[in-house]
Amino acid sequence: MSRVVRLLVALVMMVGILQWVVPQWAAAQISRRVAALDQGKRPQVTLAAIPFWELASGRFQDLFMKSQAIRLGPIEVASAQLNWQNGQVAVASLMKGRLAIVKSGRVSMSIRLNGQALADFLAKQGKIQNTRVTVTTRDVRIQGRMTLAGVDVPVDTTGTILISADRSRLIFHPTVIDGINLPMMTDVQILDLSTLNLPLPLAIRSVVLAPDSIVVNAGTP
């Protein structure tokens, strides 16, 4: 085997190694940065950039992130998954600890909220105190106490989850209060994507009720 051929083989092997190592290194840096921002556990991050030197300009084909028990804005999230395809970020800003989007690409996100997190969130809003939230596959039940006309009264209401017309908010729509079916009630906002400090504007695509969980699927409009 000639020296030139050996050199070419060595170069191909080196590029192959770097193609595997560099995205893994970048994914680890992203994971550390996210953990530092929310003071939570380090998320699981995988990154695909082919060729790997595209990362030097902030471009990538696919970024996947999975987190457990994190805070998004004012609400505690049991788990979250994010998949970002064909995006680009400003490397200079990233080196300074800021995220500036050059190319949004396509983003899909799924977050899971449990009943306790929703209860804590509603209590902090000041609308309902001593809040308890129970989520089943059919409906959501909110219990607690409210002040009406200066009188502290118990609240026990069951209802459905609706998506707002602009697809940015989740709304709890009561259908039963204290066991009495009522056609006209006051809706309660339980989630607003604009308050979650997300790097890109997202729209809610669907919401699924699971045992003790509300699963929200969102993505780029």
Side-chain angles (χ1 to χ4, degrees):
M1 185 181 296
S2 69
R3 180 175 297 178
V4 173
V5 173
R6 289 177 180 174
L7 178 60
L8 289 175
V9 171
L11 286 173
V12 169
M13 292 179 64
M14 180 61 68
V15 169
I17 292 171
L18 290 175
Q19 184 64 66
W20 182 77
V21 170
V22 173
Q24 289 228 358
W25 175 84
Q29 302 310 305
I30 294 171
S31 178
R32 290 193 185 96
R33 176 71 66 181
V34 171
L37 287 174
D38 65 14
Q39 301 300 313
K41 298 179 180 178
R42 284 182 56 181
Q44 171 191 338
V45 178
T46 57
L47 182 64
I50 301 174
F52 68 87
W53 53 82
E54 290 281 281
L55 288 172
S57 60
R59 290 192 294 267
F60 54 87
Q61 282 82 46
D62 190 86
L63 186 151
F64 176 80
M65 185 184 309
K66 184 176 181 180
S67 302
Q68 302 287 334
I70 62 170
R71 176 164 291 278
L72 288 179
I75 195 165
E76 194 78 28
V77 175
S79 64
Q81 292 186 16
L82 182 141
N83 185 234
W84 188 359
Q85 297 177 327
N86 298 317
Q88 183 178 3
V89 299
V91 175
S93 296
L94 201 61
M95 296 297 290
K96 297 176 182 178
R98 300 191 302 270
L99 178 61
I101 308 298
V102 177
K103 180 182 177 183
S104 59
R106 182 178 180 182
V107 178
S108 296
M109 182 180 72
S110 175
I111 61 176
R112 183 171 62 87
L113 310 170
N114 61 31
Q116 186 59 54
L118 289 171
D120 293 342
F121 174 73
L122 291 174
K124 289 177 182 178
Q125 302 304 301
K127 297 179 180 179
I128 305 174
Q129 300 303 320
N130 300 326
T131 316
R132 298 187 303 280
V133 176
T134 305
V135 183
T136 71
T137 56
R138 294 180 301 173
D139 51 37
V140 175
R141 183 182 183 186
I142 298 178
Q143 299 168 281
R145 304 191 71 84
M146 294 183 66
T147 302
L148 299 175
V151 179
D152 188 37
V153 297
V155 174
D156 189 348
T157 176
T158 302
T160 58
I161 300 297
L162 306 177
I163 301 173
S164 65
D166 62 0
R167 310 195 75 80
S168 67
R169 292 168 291 128
L170 282 187
I171 308 294
F172 170 75
H173 177 67
T175 55
V176 178
I177 289 184
D178 294 329
I180 302 173
N181 291 319
L182 295 177
M184 298 294 293
M185 307 249 257
T186 302
D187 292 342
V188 178
Q189 179 177 293
I190 63 171
L191 178 67
D192 184 348
L193 291 185
S194 66
T195 66
L196 301 188
N197 301 324
L198 300 174
L200 289 169
L202 301 180
I204 299 174
R205 294 173 177 169
S206 65
V207 57
V208 178
L209 298 182
D212 195 39
S213 297
I214 297 178
V215 180
V216 184
N217 298 303
T220 43

